[in-house]
Amino acid sequence: MMKMERRFQIEVDGLPDLPGMMLVTVEALRDLGGSATIQELDERVIELEGVSEEEQSFSMPRDENRPRVNYYLAWARTYLKRGGALENSARAVWALTEAGSTISSIEETRAIYELVTLEERARAKAKRSAAKLAGVEAVEAPESEPDNAEDWKSQLLAVLVSMAPDAFERLSQRLLREAGFTKVEVRGKSGDGGIDGLGVLRVNLVSFQVYFQCKRWKGSVGSKEIRPC
């Protein structure tokens, strides 16, 4: 089997190919079910690209504790987020958006990179212009009224019930990661549209391997539906 050509290289000096890192980041997230913590994502990118231990040891010039590969992967995520391909939560869980899930070529990530670069230049120019007009405050629009709580709950339940099994699987993985789990794996699917799997939860200095069941069930879920036969 022919070995795939590397999409980016990490060197002691010089910049890596950021669009290449962006493409591998999308592929890694897709492999991980559409969402991942930063650690999971970086590890998967390094595995996919075969980044050597020597390359992983290269650090930033002014921060010896920060590996270059992780620093530039953070920039790759930032560019993808700015381009609407990724989103991240307050718990630092990153996920593919609908637009990001369709990316499959270096041309697409390079287009995002170039677009965001142009936006940054325009933003810097606007910031310099704004500095000359200091003292002028923008008037903020009033916040809209929140939707009725019961309405959004009913809508959410309706969406969950109608989701395809693979979409429900990805959502369950995402929710567990948001709750602090890592290495979330789906091991099997049940006949009721639910899934079974495992993950690792760290509590202080101890890590636990936790098995889980996610079920879409109308009404209450009793012990007989959860307890293994």
Side-chain angles (χ1 to χ4, degrees):
M1 181 181 296
M2 183 179 295
K3 186 177 181 181
M4 181 180 295
E5 184 179 352
R6 288 275 296 272
R7 268 72 61 90
F8 65 85
Q9 302 292 331
I10 297 296
E11 302 174 354
V12 177
D13 299 310
L15 300 175
D17 183 6
L18 206 57
M21 299 186 91
M22 292 162 63
L23 178 59
V24 184
T25 296
V26 170
E27 293 177 356
L29 265 175
R30 192 176 289 126
D31 286 351
L32 292 168
S35 66
T37 62
I38 293 175
Q39 180 180 352
E40 290 175 319
L41 187 51
D42 284 358
E43 289 177 353
R44 185 60 179 145
V45 169
I46 288 171
E47 180 183 355
L48 285 174
E49 283 297 281
V51 179
S52 68
E53 292 186 6
E54 181 183 11
E55 290 174 300
Q56 294 177 51
S57 70
F58 297 155
S59 60
M60 297 303 297
R62 297 183 180 180
D63 187 355
E64 295 183 356
N65 294 321
R66 188 165 196 183
R68 290 177 66 86
V69 62
N70 300 98
Y71 174 79
Y72 286 112
L73 283 174
W75 272 111
R77 292 191 296 272
T78 298
Y79 271 80
L80 287 166
K81 180 180 179 179
R82 290 278 303 276
L86 297 188
E87 60 185 5
N88 67 309
S89 68
R91 293 190 65 94
V93 175
W94 290 78
L96 288 169
T97 63
E98 184 175 353
S101 64
T102 65
I103 293 176
S104 61
S105 69
I106 190 69
E107 288 77 19
E108 293 171 285
T109 53
R110 195 173 300 281
I112 292 175
Y113 173 78
E114 293 173 353
L115 176 62
V116 174
T117 299
L118 288 174
E119 289 177 349
E120 278 300 306
R121 291 173 181 169
R123 178 180 295 185
K125 183 177 180 180
K127 189 174 181 180
R128 289 192 296 269
S129 299
K132 299 178 181 179
L133 302 174
V136 179
E137 296 183 359
V139 178
E140 295 185 2
E143 294 184 1
S144 58
E145 292 294 323
D147 294 331
N148 183 277
E150 291 304 318
D151 288 344
W152 74 258
K153 288 179 181 179
S154 299
Q155 293 175 11
L156 176 60
L157 288 174
V159 170
L160 290 174
V161 171
S162 62
M163 290 178 73
D166 59 335
F168 181 68
E169 173 185 317
R170 293 193 299 273
L171 175 62
S172 300
Q173 286 181 304
R174 173 73 180 274
L175 290 175
L176 287 166
R177 285 174 173 136
E178 295 288 358
F181 285 79
T182 61
K183 302 185 183 300
V184 181
E185 298 180 21
V186 175
R187 292 295 180 89
K189 302 177 183 178
S190 57
D192 61 2
I195 62 172
D196 303 312
L198 57 88
V200 176
L201 178 63
R202 185 179 181 86
V203 180
N204 296 325
L205 299 177
V206 182
S207 294
F208 299 91
Q209 189 171 61
V210 180
Y211 289 84
F212 64 85
Q213 289 185 329
C214 295
K215 292 182 178 291
R216 289 186 289 182
W217 200 272
K218 292 184 178 180
S220 60
V221 179
S223 58
K224 67 178 182 179
E225 283 81 21
I226 299 177
R227 187 182 300 116
C229 297

